[in-house]
Amino acid sequence: ELLRANNDADLYIRHAAVLALSRIGKAKPMLALSSDPSKALRTAAVLVLRKLKSEKIAVSLNDKDEYVATEAARAINDDLSIPAALPALAATLSEKRFKGEPMLRRAINAAVRVGSEKELALLFEFAKR
């Protein structure tokens, strides 16, 4: 309720809530938020799943909002990353809905890191587009 009421107005409040939820350490309730109408709750869920290093964060790559999907891409690709979710991130190259450079750069990098023929084909088709 705190995250819903805050609606990302105060990022310090969001950070405190994300930290508290990540210390509780339960991924399942965060996954349930992936379909919530509130962008603020979906974003917080991604940030918690990132702290938990949960490969289930890949579900947020399908979010209707590119910002939330990009946050999931950052979690999967950046820092120490979430290797098990890299194939799902690479697969987003086949989607035409993503236009932002931060998302696309991470999807390209994920395809290179996974390195199979499937990801090479994704890169090739993306480059042709």
Side-chain angles (χ1 to χ4, degrees), residues 2-129:
L2 172 72
L3 287 164
R4 190 180 306 280
N6 181 50
N7 198 31
D8 282 347
D10 186 330
L11 297 181
Y12 291 105
I13 290 175
R14 180 177 79 183
H15 175 71
V18 165
L19 186 60
L21 289 168
S22 68
R23 291 203 176 155
I24 291 170
K26 298 194 182 216
K28 194 171 183 178
M30 297 302 101
L31 288 171
L33 294 177
S34 66
S35 60
D36 195 276
S38 168
K39 177 183 170 187
L41 285 177
R42 295 192 319 273
T43 301
V46 166
L47 296 174
V48 171
L49 291 170
R50 179 181 191 161
K51 287 188 174 293
L52 297 177
K53 301 251 182 245
S54 173
E55 67 186 67
K56 296 187 183 331
I57 197 171
V59 74
S60 294
L61 293 169
N62 299 320
D63 197 276
K64 61 187 175 190
D65 189 290
E66 188 166 350
Y67 175 80
V68 177
T70 300
E71 282 301 315
R74 285 183 177 104
I76 293 166
N77 182 74
D78 296 4
D79 301 327
L80 299 175
S81 76
I82 304 173
L86 285 170
L89 177 54
T92 63
L93 285 175
S94 65
E95 297 183 34
K96 296 177 182 166
R97 69 186 179 104
F98 295 120
K99 306 289 185 218
E101 182 266 337
M103 177 70 175
L104 294 174
R105 182 168 32 96
R106 286 169 175 86
I108 291 167
N109 190 53
V112 170
R113 288 176 64 189
V114 173
S116 74
E117 287 189 31
K118 178 182 176 185
E119 280 72 27
L120 178 61
L122 287 168
L123 283 169
F124 183 70
E125 289 303 315
F126 175 76
K128 284 186 354 184
R129 274 201 326 264

